Amino acid sequence: MAAITLIEGVTLALARALEEDPGVIVLGEDVGVNGGVFRATAGLQQRFGEQRVLDTPLAEVMIAGMSVGMAAQGLKPVAEAQFCGFTMPMVDHLMCHAGRMRNRTRGRLSCPMVLRFPTGGGIHAPEHHSESPEALFAHMPGIRVVMPSSPGRAYGLLLAAIRDPDPVVFMEPKRIYRWQKEEVEDNGEELPLDVCFTLRDGSDITLVTWGAMIKETLQAADQLESEGVSVELIDVATLSPLDMETILESVSRTGRCVIIQEAPRHCGVAGEIAAGLADAGIWNLLAPVKRVCGYDTVMPLYRNELNYMPSVRRIVDAAHQVLEVS
Amino acid sequence: MARTVAAFKVDYFQFLNPDGQLIEGQQLPALARDFERLVTMYRQMVRTRVFDKKAIALQRTGKLGTYASCLGHEASHVAIGSAMRPEDCFAPMYREYGVQFCRGVTLTDVLLYWGGDERGSDYAHAPHDFAWSVPIATQCLHAAGAALAYKLRNEPRVAVSVVGDGGSSKGDFLEAINAGSAWKLPLVLVIVNNQWAISVPRSRQNTAATLAQKGIAGGLPSIQVDGNDLIACLWAMEKAIEAARKGHGSFVVEMLTYRISDHTTADDARRYRPNEEVEEAWAKEPVARLRSYLMDQGAWDEGQEQALLAECTAEVQQAADEYLDIVTNDPQPVTTMFDFMFAELPHDLAEQRAQAEHYQDTGGQH
């Protein structure tokens, strides 16, 4: 068993899926010979051939639309969009077809495709390469949205996404692609979709986040723990559908919650979680629910990107505000 | 029995061969002998190349973000920029610095943009041109929209956009052709076919003999030229822009060139293409070709060459110094994230603006 990074967890899961299911087809721009611009598909075309790992023409609408067609006809396309900014032309096919294929044909056809792409900022990337558009996809009925935050969850959740009978948008937090190494056994075991992962048990406050913000949230949790605060930390992992049960159960014990997302605040997943707490957890809350988010602005170019993304200090300050309410 | 209802051909133009000699036996455009003009454009090509080299050096030493090189595209780019009038409109992709320098975009603007500073897209000297378009081929439709605006207002202006061989696979490009045809727009679409879309070669985009014929399919006159031959590129652009300005509709020009550099500084082309191919491309590159022609004709000499290189090197160094001075001593305050979102700042953004100011520089310090 080897210690691997998050992106290596992605590669390992793709290889496993290609091996176990001849219907799995990896496709996208530069995924073949080049092995992907982040190397997520490195070596896969050499190993599985050009029929299984396809370099496509430069055409995102084509990638998304053909994935819908392939999926509806018995294949398991695992498409890559090179960056989050380039998924926007794909929205048509996800919203108007992938998410409703099963429903509109009353189950006659389905759309078991995966669209995976790197998301988020913090790597000094050019314009349109650093956004966090998860809420856009989470707003689409019929689409699952998954974001791993560790090598093991990248492996297990991607396998589950590929095996899932419905369309999954699998967003990869590129800022932590190579942040941590973890021992991951390539045993083909998937992790469950549609559930949160509780990374740390605590009793004073619940911090809820996902993707790359796990990094700053863990650091904030460490700081709070050093002040004597007992922190429960939840990685949401599947952003749609939401596992509110785990979050509600945690908040029923802590009574306090801060939700952290890198994406803009307005109409974000954090707002959806806060609404879930207002709806079914309000009698257990001891303080207002706070959100720490990216601002409702265009993601700035790299010189200002760290001023956009939630900092450890912003998270700790929000936690203090919530903890001070008696 | 079937009868032919339509027949097509694509003409290819090349006036200067890779050795820098005029190809006789064809009608040569007058500009082939207009040495004063050719020298002006040669100077712009060299200026662009010297800039490109400096930008890569700045990136490699950690002073610039990811940068998309234009090495090898100088003839196509300078021809496009030189054929346009100031009142025309350019919608670039992201490596057409040679066009943009002709239009008044400064070297410092380009460095600021790739240096992660939005002020790089605030062109003081090209006020109505679009900023770089990273989402591939989207700019083609913006140019079509600009062209429709000029047509509706009866202004004798032309919109020009550039797309790559990869971008020609996108719907946006084909839709722009279609719009140009449907409304007879003053629009010129240039396919700068540099043979590579990151790691995917031209041959894997499709099996069409030319990309120019995509314009023909949409009903537009379309030609192909040697994109490393400044004379052919300029002749084609002048012809296309003149037709568009006279109200004859849109035009597609495919320029065959080669991306000698990596896709960007974040790419390593050695992973996917043979070095021999790059060496062959160097033998056909546009700057040496035009220099050789001009020297043969007595319109340029080694002394002028050395003086030009010194002049460009100094100018580029000055731009680099200016860029570094701006980002070091006059960085954009965090509040500028908010101040250009709307004409007037909405109240909820005003609250976030204050918050961002309060938390300025707390990110990334762990």
Side-chain angles (χ1 to χ4, degrees), chain A residues 28-37 39 45 50 55-61 82 85-86 89 124-129 175 215-216 219 265-266 291 294-304 306-314 317-318 321, chain B residues 63-66 112-118 121 132-136 166-167 169-170 197-200 204-206 266-268 271-272 323 327 332-334 336-338 341-342 348-349 351-353 355-366:
Chain A
E29 294 157 5
D30 306 289
V31 301
V33 177
N34 195 32
V37 294
R39 322 294 300 132
Q45 190 183 67
E50 289 187 26
D55 270 326
T56 66
L58 202 173
E60 291 85 13
V61 176
Q82 204 155 70
F86 308 149
H124 277 209
E127 198 175 5
H128 307 289
H129 289 57
R175 184 156 56 92
K215 185 179 174 187
E216 284 72 21
Q219 287 165 337
R265 185 177 71 186
H266 198 75
R291 287 171 290 166
Y295 301 113
D296 293 321
T297 68
V298 171
M299 178 74 184
L301 295 184
Y302 76 78
R303 269 184 210 275
N304 250 328
L306 291 180
N307 280 322
Y308 175 92
M309 299 179 343
S311 60
V312 175
R313 201 179 120 199
R314 279 179 69 195
D317 280 3
Q321 280 177 39
Chain B
K63 293 173 182 153
L64 192 72
T66 301
L112 281 168
Y113 178 71
W114 293 109
D117 189 313
E118 283 83 354
S121 292
W132 292 283
S133 187
V134 174
I136 303 299
S169 290
K170 285 198 62 166
I198 308 189
S199 73
V200 178
R204 299 301 292 263
Q205 294 296 333
N206 57 62
D267 176 41
D268 181 0
R271 278 209 297 260
Y272 52 78
Y323 152 69
V327 294
Q332 291 194 104
V334 65
T336 57
M337 215 190 289
F338 298 86
M341 289 302 301
F342 295 96
D348 62 331
L349 272 186
E351 285 167 26
Q352 293 186 26
R353 185 180 185 276
Q355 196 187 17
E357 209 168 8
H358 175 73
Y359 282 106
Q360 184 160 4
D361 298 331
T362 63
Q365 297 174 356
H366 309 132

Side-chain angles (χ1 to χ4, degrees), chain B residues 9-337:
Chain B
K9 67 182 172 69
V10 178
D11 289 327
Y12 172 78
F13 297 90
Q14 183 193 46
F15 300 119
L16 210 52
N17 73 15
D19 297 329
Q21 288 159 340
L22 281 179
I23 300 168
E24 304 288 349
Q26 61 181 333
Q27 198 182 346
L28 290 169
L31 75 97
R33 306 276 179 203
D34 185 347
F35 295 114
E36 196 182 326
R37 190 147 187 235
L38 291 179
V39 164
T40 303
M41 281 181 288
Y42 175 72
R43 297 177 68 90
Q44 191 68 265
M45 286 165 65
V46 171
R47 181 175 178 239
T48 304
R49 180 165 292 187
V50 173
F51 168 81
D52 192 70
K53 194 173 174 186
K54 181 68 180 181
I56 290 170
L58 287 169
Q59 192 281 333
R60 297 293 187 224
T61 51
K63 293 173 182 153
L64 192 72
T66 301
Y67 169 78
S69 165
C70 64
L71 182 62
H73 302 68
E74 296 86 354
S76 58
H77 290 173
V78 170
I80 295 165
S82 303
M84 294 175 70
R85 290 187 191 164
E87 66 268 27
D88 293 338
C89 176
F90 184 53
M93 39 185 275
Y94 45 79
R95 67 170 101 241
E96 293 76 33
Y97 321 119
V99 187
Q100 295 180 299
F101 294 156
C102 295
R103 296 193 54 72
V105 172
T106 66
L107 313 186
T108 308
D109 288 337
V110 179
L111 294 176
L112 281 168
Y113 178 71
W114 293 109
D117 189 313
E118 283 83 354
R119 287 173 290 187
S121 292
D122 182 13
Y123 313 140
H125 308 293
H128 49 259
D129 279 5
F130 289 94
W132 292 283
S133 187
V134 174
I136 303 299
T138 50
Q139 68 277 5
C140 298
L141 284 165
H142 306 158
L148 182 58
Y150 305 148
K151 178 163 177 142
L152 293 175
R153 292 198 301 254
N154 274 320
E155 295 170 351
R157 299 164 71 183
V158 178
V160 178
S161 190
V162 169
V163 74
D165 40 314
S168 77
S169 290
K170 285 198 62 166
D172 304 60
F173 169 67
L174 300 169
E175 291 167 47
I177 288 172
N178 208 58
S181 170
W183 281 293
K184 221 173 179 186
L185 299 175
L187 170 70
V188 177
L189 295 168
V190 187
I191 308 161
V192 177
N193 175 354
N194 69 14
Q195 313 300 328
W196 289 92
I198 308 189
S199 73
V200 178
R202 160 66 186 89
S203 59
R204 299 301 292 263
Q205 294 296 333
N206 57 62
T207 54
T210 71
L211 295 174
Q213 70 204 61
K214 293 193 174 202
I216 294 175
L220 303 186
S222 305
I223 60 172
Q224 190 184 62
V225 301
D226 181 341
N228 291 343
D229 171 2
L230 186 270
I231 298 171
C233 290
L234 184 62
W235 173 81
M237 283 309 296
E238 288 190 329
K239 177 184 161 89
I241 287 177
E242 189 191 358
R245 203 183 309 281
K246 281 183 174 163
H248 298 160
S250 309
F251 214 105
V252 172
V253 180
E254 178 184 7
M255 298 180 176
L256 295 180
T257 182
Y258 192 84
R259 194 196 79 207
I260 295 175
S261 67
D262 298 328
H263 164 66
T264 65
T265 50
D267 176 41
D268 181 0
R270 289 171 302 184
R271 278 209 297 260
Y272 52 78
R273 71 177 179 189
N275 195 43
E276 300 80 61
E277 192 184 292
V278 182
E279 281 169 20
E280 274 174 43
W282 271 111
K284 297 178 190 163
E285 65 93 4
V287 175
R289 183 186 307 202
L290 186 59
R291 180 172 59 237
S292 170
Y293 174 62
L294 293 174
M295 283 184 167
D296 273 358
Q297 301 295 316
W300 192 249
D301 63 35
E302 193 51 43
Q304 287 170 304
E305 177 72 12
Q306 291 311 315
L308 174 62
L309 286 174
E311 184 188 313
C312 292
T313 303
E315 186 198 3
V316 163
Q317 183 59 49
Q318 196 180 0
D321 291 345
E322 185 184 31
Y323 152 69
L324 292 170
D325 180 57
I326 291 170
V327 294
T328 310
N329 300 317
D330 181 26
Q332 291 194 104
V334 65
T335 47
T336 57
M337 215 190 289

Side-chain angles (χ1 to χ4, degrees), chain A residues 98-141:
Chain A
R100 55 201 290 156
M101 183 76 75
R102 182 184 294 283
N103 180 276
R104 68 194 284 260
T105 63
R106 302 285 92 168
R108 181 174 59 83
L109 297 175
S110 62
C111 197
M113 63 178 277
V114 174
L115 173 64
R116 36 170 298 275
F117 55 90
T119 188
I123 65 157
H124 277 209
E127 198 175 5
H128 307 289
H129 289 57
S130 300
E131 283 72 11
S132 298
E134 64 264 26
L136 192 70
F137 298 101
H139 199 67
M140 296 179 181

